[in-house]
């Protein structure tokens, strides 16, 4: 019986491995033997989850042809991986990836570290801040006061609590987009919303156009749903979308869905202007593509910036644009409340399909968000969140510029993330060494398709002050190890740091 559960083709593995070579000429590195470099590259792909555990690797001859190396090099690399516990083989069944005994399985998303590890590890993997107290406590207390009438019901509200649906609709109307409660469905976070949309519109094998780069967890969700991702490169810097590329992809690939983050894009922080929004909606309508606009970062402007109208303002009836919002980024990641705004018939279809998914969203959390919206507590809490993120952003920017002056980035006016070109170093290797020196950072390829953005890392605005300085110092230590060709060796030990 075969021990592998999936397979990686030679051409696909070669693309992933070749993406790790994004390094300018002249960088000071000690080049390892060819077999060792190949083994390290495959091991990194496994550790990052970009090649799954228990995935069958191509035969030695096939991979050698795809990489233009000798079969002896591939055979030696496979043997090194077997010795290290990252590969298992059996005659007649081939070779498949593994992890050594005692090692945790690699995460394919950006899950936060357990709180007990935070004394020695600075977590820059998860773009989430602590709750903006006292507003979380007040919201829960307010929800408990409103709970008794609901406790006498069955508690299942597949479309969401009527009061919260009406409140969300009112908030869209106040933004200039007339909205009825029938156009709103409350979900379990933005991820729950997008998962439901993908299952409704994007069956297995359907094309989904995505920004390149894009939010790693959403990309993984779509992959696991069986979608065929079509990347569309972002415009340079923080200027939003490249509309020529978008028009070409929508016309030529005719994707069923396009997923975009127009407001303080994750991970780049870009802000699409009104003209780009209007033109993208028009192009999606012409192509028959459902445009999913993720608004989770909309309220996280950190500088004095005039916000463009929402994407759905250019499709008020919701026939082309399906909008996703959430309390998780602007308020607190532990508040798993999201919502969808769309045409009433789309909402009815999403609600009907929900019977086979999660049935509904927790009532108490819905009441807490409704309390925030109805009392003005939301505005106070979000203003507090902006202040936290602004201070953290400025501290992190200053620390990275001091410790890593060759790293390049533009400072976004909002959002929670800094997209950084890492001075010609491999983001995957920085992430690996960073874990050993006490800083967890996601590498660029997590935010791309087929190994793109190897030369980048994403840094969220989740730490400030002395912790930001220490995080940058540890990143600089990791960079020195990678520059010296030591991504597979020991590296420096982390210092314990208590925030």
């Amino acid at each position: 019986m075969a021990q592998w559960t999936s397979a990686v083709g030679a051409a696909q593995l070669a693309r992933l491995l070749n993406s790790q070579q994004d390094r300018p000429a002249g960088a000071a590195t000690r080049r390892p033997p060819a077999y060792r470099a190949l083994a390290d590259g495959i091991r990194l792909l496994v550790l990052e989850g970009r090649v799954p555990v228990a995935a069958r690797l191509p035969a030695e001859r096939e991979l050698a042809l795809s990489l233009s190396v000798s079969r002896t090099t591939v055979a030696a690399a496979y043997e090194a991986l077997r010795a290290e516990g990252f590969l298992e083989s059996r005659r007649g069944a081939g070779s498949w990836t593994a992890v050594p005994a005692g090692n945790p399985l690699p995460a394919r998303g950006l899950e936060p570290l357990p709180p007990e590890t935070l004394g020695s590890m600075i977590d820059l993997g998860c773009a989430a801040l602590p709750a903006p107290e006292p507003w979380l406590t007040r919201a829960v207390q307010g929800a408990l006061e409103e709970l008794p009438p609901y406790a006498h019901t069955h508690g299942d509200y597949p479309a969401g609590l009527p009061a919260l649906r009406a409140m969300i609709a009112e908030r869209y109307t106040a933004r200039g987009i007339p909205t009825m409660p029938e156009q709103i469905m409350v979900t379990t976070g933005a991820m729950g919303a997008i998962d439901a949309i993908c299952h409704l519109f994007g069956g297995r094998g359907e094309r989904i156009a995505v920004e390149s780069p894009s939010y790693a967890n959403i990309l993984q969700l779509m992959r696991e749903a069986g979608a065929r991702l079509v990347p569309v490169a972002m415009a340079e810097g923080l200027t939003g979308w490249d509309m020529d590329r978008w028009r070409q992809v929508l016309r030529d690939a005719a994707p069923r869905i396009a997923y975009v983050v127009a407001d303080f894009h994750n991970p780049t922080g870009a802000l699409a202007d009104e003209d780009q929004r209007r033109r993208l909606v028009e192009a999606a309508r012409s192509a028959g593509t459902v445009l999913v606009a993720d608004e989770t970062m909309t309220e996280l402007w950190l500088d004095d910036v005039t916000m463009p109208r929402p994407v759905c303002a250019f499709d008020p009836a919701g026939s082309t644009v399906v909008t996703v919002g959430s309390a998780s980024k602007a308020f607190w990641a532990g508040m798993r409340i999201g919502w969808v705004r769309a045409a009433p018939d789309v909402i009815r279809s999403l609600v009907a399909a929900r019977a086979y998914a999660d049935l509904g969203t927790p009532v108490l959390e819905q009441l807490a968000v409704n309390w925030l919206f109805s009392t003005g507590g939301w505005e106070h809490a979000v203003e507090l969140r902006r202040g936290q993120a602004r201070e953290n952003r400025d501290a992190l920017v200053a620390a990275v510029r001091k410790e890593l002056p060759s790293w390049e980035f533009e400072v976004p006016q909002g959002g929670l993330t800094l997209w950084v070109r890492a001075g010609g170093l491999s983001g995957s290797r920085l992430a690996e060494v960073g874990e050993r020196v006490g800083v967890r950072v996601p590498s660029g390829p997590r935010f791309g398709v087929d190994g793109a953005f190897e030369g980048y890392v994403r840094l969220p605005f989740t730490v400030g002050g002395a912790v930001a300085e220490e995080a940058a110092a540890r990143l600089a230590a990791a960079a020195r190890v990678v520059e010296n060709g030591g991504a597979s060796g020991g590296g420096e030990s982390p210092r314990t740091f208590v925030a």
Side-chain angles (χ1 to χ4, degrees):
M1 180 178 177
Q3 301 297 307
W4 47 272
T5 57
S6 62
V8 181
Q12 178 189 6
L13 184 56
R15 284 197 304 273
L16 292 170
L17 289 165
N18 287 334
S19 74
Q20 296 176 340
Q21 308 307 313
D22 184 12
R23 183 189 304 274
T29 60
R30 291 199 309 268
R31 293 194 177 276
Y35 86 90
R36 184 68 260 174
L38 176 56
D40 286 349
I42 294 174
R43 180 174 51 80
L44 275 173
L45 292 173
V46 173
L47 287 172
E48 284 208 320
R50 290 193 284 144
V51 168
V53 174
R56 187 177 186 272
L57 295 186
E60 294 170 2
R61 186 185 302 278
E62 294 174 358
L63 186 57
L65 287 172
S66 292
L67 291 173
S68 299
V69 300
S70 71
R71 183 176 176 180
T72 302
T73 296
V74 177
Y78 278 15
E79 182 58 37
L81 289 168
R82 277 189 286 269
E84 295 163 5
F86 285 95
L87 196 69
E88 296 180 8
S89 303
R90 195 178 69 197
R91 185 178 297 277
S95 299
W96 56 91
T97 56
V99 291
N103 279 37
L105 287 174
R108 303 197 73 184
L110 302 177
E111 296 82 0
L113 288 172
E116 61 268 19
T117 68
L118 298 182
S120 59
M121 181 72 71
I122 299 176
D123 186 7
L124 297 181
C126 182
L129 289 162
E133 288 287 35
W135 297 105
L136 174 61
T137 298
R138 292 181 183 178
V140 173
Q141 290 171 341
L144 288 172
E145 293 175 3
E146 298 292 331
L147 183 61
Y150 294 94
H152 294 291
T153 73
H154 49 63
D156 288 336
Y157 296 88
L161 295 184
L164 181 55
R165 295 176 72 196
M167 183 60 66
I168 293 170
E170 286 180 19
R171 290 175 66 83
Y172 277 107
T173 300
R175 293 168 68 189
I177 306 104
T179 302
M180 304 178 296
E182 292 79 7
Q183 290 179 264
I184 301 296
M185 181 177 83
V186 180
T187 63
T188 308
M191 291 288 288
I194 293 169
D195 183 56
I197 293 165
C198 287
H199 280 89
L200 179 64
F201 290 109
R204 184 166 294 275
E206 290 280 5
R207 294 185 180 93
I208 300 181
V210 294
E211 296 152 324
S212 182
S214 187
Y215 179 36
N217 286 340
I218 293 296
L219 294 180
Q220 191 58 35
L221 181 155
M222 292 174 175
R223 290 187 188 101
E224 293 182 0
R228 297 163 61 190
L229 300 183
V230 182
V232 186
M234 295 288 290
E236 290 298 319
L238 300 176
T239 55
W241 302 316
D242 184 326
M243 287 309 305
D244 290 337
R245 289 174 176 167
W246 269 108
R247 278 195 299 270
Q248 181 180 356
V249 166
L250 293 176
R251 181 183 65 244
D252 297 346
R256 187 69 183 94
I257 299 172
Y259 169 76
V260 297
V261 184
D263 302 315
F264 310 121
H265 173 260
N266 185 357
T268 68
L271 178 65
D273 63 32
E274 282 207 8
D275 184 59
Q276 290 172 328
R277 295 168 193 236
R278 179 186 296 105
R279 291 161 63 194
L280 185 56
V281 172
E282 292 171 353
R285 185 182 294 118
S286 297
T289 297
V290 176
L291 183 60
V292 180
D294 186 335
E295 288 193 334
T296 53
M297 297 285 187
T298 295
E299 297 190 64
L300 290 176
W301 44 265
L302 307 181
D303 296 330
D304 187 11
V305 55
T306 300
M307 290 297 295
R309 284 181 291 169
V311 176
C312 60
F314 304 99
D315 178 50
S319 58
T320 296
V321 178
V322 176
T323 302
V324 172
S326 172
S328 298
K329 293 296 186 184
F331 185 75
W332 184 48
M335 187 67 77
R336 304 306 305 159
I337 298 295
W339 53 87
V340 178
R341 181 198 180 276
D345 62 319
V346 172
I347 295 298
R348 287 193 294 271
S349 296
L350 288 169
V351 171
R354 197 170 195 180
Y356 309 101
D358 63 356
L359 293 177
T361 301
V363 170
L364 188 62
E365 291 186 29
Q366 292 187 70
L367 290 172
V369 172
N370 192 57
W371 182 92
L372 288 165
F373 285 157
S374 61
T375 62
W378 178 266
E379 283 69 28
H380 289 291
V382 172
E383 183 58 36
L384 179 60
R385 167 68 76 237
R386 291 190 195 108
Q388 292 174 319
R390 185 183 300 113
E391 290 180 7
N392 288 354
R393 178 197 64 181
D394 295 347
L396 186 64
V397 165
V400 173
R401 283 177 172 163
K402 175 185 175 184
E403 296 286 348
L404 295 150
S406 66
W407 287 21
E408 303 171 43
F409 54 86
E410 291 192 42
V411 182
Q413 294 180 297
L416 290 172
T417 56
L418 196 66
W419 185 238
V420 181
R421 187 190 294 271
L425 301 178
S426 161
S428 298
R429 286 173 166 77
L430 283 167
E432 182 199 15
V433 177
E435 292 266 358
R436 299 206 304 270
V437 301
V439 60
R440 181 173 182 255
V441 58
S443 65
R446 287 179 176 263
F447 303 88
V449 177
D450 278 345
F453 308 109
E454 181 60 46
Y456 289 80
V457 293
R458 190 195 73 169
L459 306 180
F461 310 146
T462 52
V463 296
V467 185
E469 294 174 2
E470 179 66 16
R474 294 184 186 187
L475 282 173
R480 288 192 294 272
V481 174
V482 175
E483 285 173 348
N484 291 327
S488 302
E492 303 179 33
S493 299
R495 293 171 286 176
T496 298
F497 190 90
V498 180

